[in-house]
Structures are given as C-alpha cells and as structure tokens.
Amino acid sequence: MIANVLYNEKGIGDTLIVSIKDIDRYTRTFDKKGDVVRIFDTETGALSGFNIFNASRHFTLHANGKVTLTEEFVSALKKVIQEAGFNDDLNIDITPKFVVGYVESTEKHPNADKLRICQVDVKDDKLQIVCGAPNVASGQKVVVAKIGAVMPSGLIIKPSNLRGVDSYGMLCAARELAIPNAPEEKGILVLEDDYMVGEEFQTTF
C-alpha cells in the first residue's frame, strides 16, 4: 500500500493528510472518530485515506509539504488510527520513490513517433517506462520517479498506458525535479557515472 502524507500548517492548518487511493468524489464519504477522519468509497468500501486533525498533538512534525515516511512514523500513524477506533491494516510502502535508474534499452513506440519504450534497471526491479524525452538513450543513468512518487507540481506518479503501451514510472527532467537553474530545453536529467543504480536520489522539494 502506497501512501502520500502531507502536512502544511501554514497552508491548511494543523492537519495531517494521508492519501492512499483516489476515488470518485461522487461516491466518497467519511467517518470521523475523535481527531481522525477515515475517507472511503461508499460503493466499493475502498479506503481513500485519513485526515488527522490536531496533528501536532500526535506527531512531531517538521515538514512543510510531503512528510518523509520512516518505520517509526508509520508505527505512530497506525497507533493513532487504531486508538481512534479504526481497524484498517496499513501496510505502507516506505521505500524511496526517487531513485537512480539505468536505461538498459530503448525502442521506438509503435504508435507514437516521439515516444520511446525504455527498460530501466532500478536494482530491486526492472521497470518499463514510456518516455518522450528527445535525449533518452540506452546506457544512461537517470532519475526515476517510481509509482507513488509525488512531483513538485503535486502530480502523483501512477501506472499508465500511453498509446497502448504500459508504463510504470517516469524518467525525470531537472526542471521537473525543481532543481535550481535547470535547463529550459526538453530532456531528462542524465547523471554522472558515480551514481549507484538503485540508490535514493535526494530531492530538495
């Protein structure tokens, strides 16, 4: 289970937002117990997430945006939710979502001239990613936004299908990562050879 956890006291107040799955707003409802609000789909029962009010009473928070998930934080989150009276089993994925990948191969997309189908090694997995960057090529080390990554724009990376081909992540440009003085021309960020495949790429947003 992938979760994105956000906290911005100045922007939205002392509320922790735990987003697990997007659901249709027309079938979305909630159940509130104490400081915890459980959000779910009335038709399927699918869990969308939680809002936790008075968050600073329950957690030590230094974030102004996305909260970095650790085992300790996830444990505390589960405890707050369970003590409020909810019994959801939160198996939250806390692995890094921005990692160094190695482009093993690329091939032309059969249905789009400007897209290429890339096979990318991220050490613990091999990902097929459809990419439209003009400079993508085999043999490159690149920044991979894995499924569940939240971009500086707020975009959440999800599995997608581009012109009939499945894609499981994104190869990132410097400007998409909000890197200062990023070049304006189109193209992914190509890393130096001293980066290790699979290591977390440290973002500043």
Side-chain angles (χ1 to χ4, degrees):
M1 178 185 294
I2 295 171
N4 293 300
V5 181
L6 304 175
Y7 182 76
N8 184 341
E9 185 176 10
K10 291 183 179 179
I12 60 175
D14 192 17
T15 302
L16 189 77
I17 298 175
V18 182
S19 178
I20 293 172
K21 181 180 181 181
D22 290 336
I23 57 175
D24 192 322
R25 64 188 181 94
Y26 295 107
T27 59
R28 184 172 55 204
T29 190
F30 65 89
D31 184 13
K32 186 176 187 297
K33 297 180 180 180
D35 284 338
V36 181
V37 176
R38 181 182 186 270
I39 305 164
F40 61 99
D41 190 304
T42 56
E43 293 185 352
T44 66
L47 177 64
S48 177
F50 294 92
N51 289 346
I52 300 176
F53 298 107
N54 301 308
S56 60
R57 297 181 185 175
H58 305 285
F59 310 98
T60 300
L61 294 163
H62 304 289
N64 183 27
K66 185 178 179 183
V67 176
T68 300
L69 297 181
T70 63
E71 290 185 6
E72 292 77 13
F73 185 86
V74 171
S75 178
L77 178 62
K78 290 180 179 179
K79 182 179 179 181
V80 169
I81 291 171
Q82 290 170 357
E83 288 183 347
F86 295 109
N87 298 315
D88 297 275
D89 186 14
L90 298 181
N91 295 313
I92 295 174
D93 179 9
I94 63 172
T95 59
K97 298 298 179 288
F98 293 92
V99 299
V100 177
Y102 178 78
V103 182
E104 294 186 330
S105 66
T106 71
E107 62 178 294
K108 184 180 177 298
H109 192 296
N111 302 314
D113 291 338
K114 294 184 178 181
L115 297 179
R116 298 195 68 80
I117 304 169
C118 307
Q119 306 301 325
V120 185
D121 179 13
V122 291
K123 188 177 179 180
D124 60 344
D125 202 358
K126 299 289 181 71
L127 303 176
Q128 176 171 285
I129 298 176
V130 178
C131 179
N135 65 327
V136 66
S138 59
Q140 294 172 331
K141 288 183 178 179
V142 296
V143 181
V144 178
K146 299 173 70 176
I147 301 301
V150 180
M151 304 300 295
S153 64
L155 174 70
I156 299 175
I157 303 301
K158 303 175 183 178
S160 60
N161 185 283
L162 300 175
R163 298 286 185 91
V165 177
D166 292 333
S167 183
Y168 300 96
M170 186 173 81
L171 306 186
C172 301
R175 56 188 173 83
E176 291 170 326
L177 295 168
I179 293 176
N181 303 314
E184 290 299 320
E185 60 268 19
K186 293 183 178 180
I188 56 171
L189 175 63
V190 180
L191 301 173
E192 301 293 335
D193 284 340
D194 55 353
Y195 281 88
M196 299 294 293
V197 173
E199 73 173 304
E200 182 176 8
F201 184 81
Q202 297 293 334
T203 56
T204 58
F205 55 87

